[in-house]
Amino acid sequence: MLSMTGYGRGKSCADGRELLLELKTVNHRFLDVSFRLPKALAFLEEPLRKHITDGELRRGHVEVTVTYQNSRADANTITLDEPLLAQCAERTGAMARELHMAAPSMGEMISLCGALKVTQKDEDAEAVMTLTSTAYREAEAQLLQMRLREGQMLAGDLGANLAAAKALCETIAQHAPTVPEAYRERLSARLREWGLQGTDPQRIAQEVALMADRCAIDEELSRLGSHFQQFQVCLTADGEVGRRMDFLLQEMNRETNTIGSKALDAGIAQRVVEIKCLLEKLREQVQNIV
């Protein structure tokens, strides 16, 4: 079982280039990818998207962040606008003489007029892609490892909550047969209270039988037990089980609601509420399962 929460980072260096790639994933119904790339490396988006869709990530929101540094001597182009600098020198020199001040230095003049420009050369796409592929494999391996660890922890929590829900259902199953008899006793006591001791016993038995038929929950408990068993299998299954578990929880809620509405007993009603609380915990946890 894999969680949809994870983080991984990969770093690759070669020939004066250094690239750091980070992968962060959180839960999402489908596979959704977003990128944070340097403007000069915008061409990496499509290859990286293909890496992700062809890889082992099937569900979740994936955030890809790339940090890049090129320290090669030929990484930038420096240009000096000499006419602009000469014009700036002439004007500032004349002003300095007029005001009897020292003329600005070369560096100050360049800063004033912006004659020096540093522009980044286009990156070698093939070299950068080689670095990216290496860094991505490392980041993906770390991410999947973390997803597996998180998934194992989730499986433990899911198993504990499932066991608690099953125990409550077993308690309900044991208590359910006593509900009609308790109803018979309450009905008889009420008749005595009203002074109707001579009521036909067969009529009372008929009322109790009708009530027992209305509050019968055997089928619901049986289906609920089947859903529990299938959910338990998912806890140790490989691959994508999140959607299946989510569907099973919907069915569990449906059967639990039916039990609550049919069983005319305070004890059963209380346990139904407890089961629904556990199912809600399971639902929240399953939202993060691949």
Side-chain angles (χ1 to χ4, degrees), residues 1-284:
M1 176 181 290
L2 295 175
S3 167
M4 278 191 273
T5 301
Y7 173 80
R9 68 196 299 269
K11 189 174 182 180
S12 184
C13 307
D15 198 21
R17 297 181 176 90
E18 181 178 300
L19 186 141
L20 174 67
L21 189 147
E22 296 174 282
L23 293 175
K24 179 183 177 182
T25 60
V26 293
N27 63 313
H28 195 276
R29 289 185 64 194
F30 309 104
L31 181 61
D32 178 62
V33 187
S34 65
F35 296 91
R36 293 182 180 179
L37 305 174
K39 188 175 181 180
L41 303 186
F43 62 86
L44 287 178
E45 181 171 335
E46 284 308 311
L48 277 172
R49 192 181 297 277
K50 190 172 189 311
H51 269 304
I52 293 168
T53 54
D54 291 348
E56 297 185 46
L57 302 181
R58 293 290 179 265
R59 289 182 69 197
H61 173 73
V62 185
E63 186 176 292
V64 185
T65 303
V66 174
T67 307
Y68 178 72
Q69 183 176 357
N70 188 340
S71 57
R72 290 166 54 90
D74 61 352
N76 299 306
T77 300
I78 300 175
T79 56
L80 180 64
D81 190 337
E82 295 182 9
L84 177 61
L85 184 59
Q87 188 178 6
C88 180
E90 181 182 350
R91 295 287 182 87
T92 55
M95 184 64 70
R97 288 191 296 272
E98 184 179 337
L99 298 175
H100 305 288
M101 295 175 61
S105 66
M106 179 69 71
E108 289 172 332
M109 283 190 295
I110 290 174
S111 178
L112 282 169
C113 67
L116 187 68
K117 292 184 179 179
V118 179
T119 56
Q120 187 177 5
K121 286 186 177 179
D122 290 340
E123 290 291 342
D124 183 338
E126 185 176 349
V128 173
M129 268 307 306
T130 300
L131 290 177
T132 303
S133 297
T134 302
Y136 179 81
R137 286 194 296 271
E138 182 182 349
E140 184 186 41
Q142 290 183 14
L143 173 70
L144 292 173
Q145 208 169 35
M146 183 174 177
R147 277 185 152 196
L148 180 60
R149 288 196 303 269
E150 291 285 328
Q152 290 170 343
M153 292 175 61
L154 275 173
D157 290 342
L158 287 166
N161 286 326
L162 181 67
K166 288 170 67 176
L168 288 167
C169 282
E170 289 171 4
T171 303
I172 289 175
Q174 293 170 5
H175 182 68
T178 67
V179 173
E181 185 58 34
Y183 176 73
R184 179 196 296 273
E185 292 175 2
R186 290 196 304 273
L187 180 59
S188 298
R190 185 61 59 83
L191 291 173
R192 286 194 300 273
E193 182 182 336
W194 292 343
L196 301 173
Q197 292 90 339
T199 304
D200 184 3
Q202 187 174 355
R203 177 60 177 166
I204 295 176
Q206 186 178 2
E207 288 294 328
V208 172
L210 289 172
M211 180 270 180
D213 185 60
R214 286 197 302 271
C215 71
I217 54 174
D218 294 347
E219 292 184 11
E220 288 78 9
L221 287 171
S222 177
R223 287 193 291 268
L224 197 51
S226 173
H227 298 329
F228 285 153
Q229 186 176 1
Q230 293 179 64
F231 195 92
Q232 184 71 51
V233 171
C234 290
L235 293 179
T236 55
D238 295 327
E240 299 178 51
V241 294
R243 288 191 178 94
R244 179 175 177 80
M245 295 171 84
D246 189 53
F247 172 76
L248 286 169
L249 283 169
Q250 293 179 36
E251 295 304 305
M252 290 179 197
N253 265 305
R254 192 193 316 277
E255 300 300 341
T256 304
N257 286 333
T258 304
I259 291 171
S261 64
K262 290 179 69 175
L264 306 177
D265 180 82
I268 291 179
Q270 180 181 349
R271 288 172 176 82
V272 163
V273 171
E274 294 175 16
I275 292 172
K276 292 184 72 172
C277 289
L278 288 168
L279 293 180
E280 179 60 23
K281 288 182 182 179
L282 288 168
R283 189 193 66 79
E284 291 176 358

